[in-house]
Amino acid sequence: MEIWINPACSKCRSAVQLLDAEGAEYTVRRYLEDVPSPDEIRAVLDRLGLEPWDITRTQEADAKELGLKEWPREAGSRERWISALAEHPKLIQRPIITADDGSAVVARTDEAVRDALER
């Protein structure tokens, strides 16, 4: 199991605390420092069953600067979104846990973290 975190994020810290409390074995990826490649983002999206716009933090300054709210949310624009996430990792919703069964969850709640633990 791996968790993508930003240590400055309270939801990330909560998720890590819960994983620790449950005795989970996991690795931490500080995705702002160890930026995921477009291929890694595609793989996580497949595991999540989501599209890139579903995991984009559209309220971030970078998102506003890029005008992401105006970008089409359709298959033809998927790669453009993935490239934006790879170039501006701060836009990636967090934390993301990749579970041992090959799935993944955006673990913004304790319930989502527990869901990942049960997989």
Side-chain angles (χ1 to χ4, degrees):
M1 176 180 309
E2 181 177 74
I3 182 169
W4 291 10
I5 68 162
N6 172 353
C9 168
S10 63
K11 298 221 182 268
C12 292
R13 290 191 308 269
S14 281
V16 167
Q17 287 174 348
L18 182 54
L19 290 173
D20 288 343
E22 296 292 329
E25 289 186 30
Y26 63 94
T27 57
V28 170
R29 179 169 188 171
R30 293 179 179 216
Y31 70 94
L32 296 179
E33 298 162 16
D34 182 8
V35 179
S37 69
D39 284 341
E40 289 174 306
I41 293 169
R42 278 186 216 94
V44 163
L45 288 167
D46 289 346
R47 292 174 79 166
L48 287 166
L50 297 174
E51 293 297 337
W53 45 85
D54 296 326
I55 65 162
T56 301
R57 299 171 56 84
T58 58
Q59 297 304 312
E60 290 287 333
D62 287 352
K64 291 177 181 177
E65 191 174 305
L66 292 168
L68 287 182
K69 283 193 174 188
E70 310 305 318
W71 288 16
R73 296 177 180 214
E74 59 193 23
S77 298
R78 190 172 200 262
E79 287 305 310
R80 181 181 183 196
W81 283 84
I82 290 169
S83 292
L85 293 175
E87 292 168 24
H88 305 276
K90 199 176 220 181
L91 298 177
I92 299 172
Q93 190 59 262
R94 62 195 183 245
I96 293 176
I97 296 176
T98 54
D100 293 335
D101 72 350
S103 65
V105 296
V106 177
R108 296 189 55 77
T109 64
D110 287 353
E111 293 77 26
V113 175
R114 286 191 180 93
D115 180 40
L117 284 168
E118 291 171 4
R119 294 178 182 208

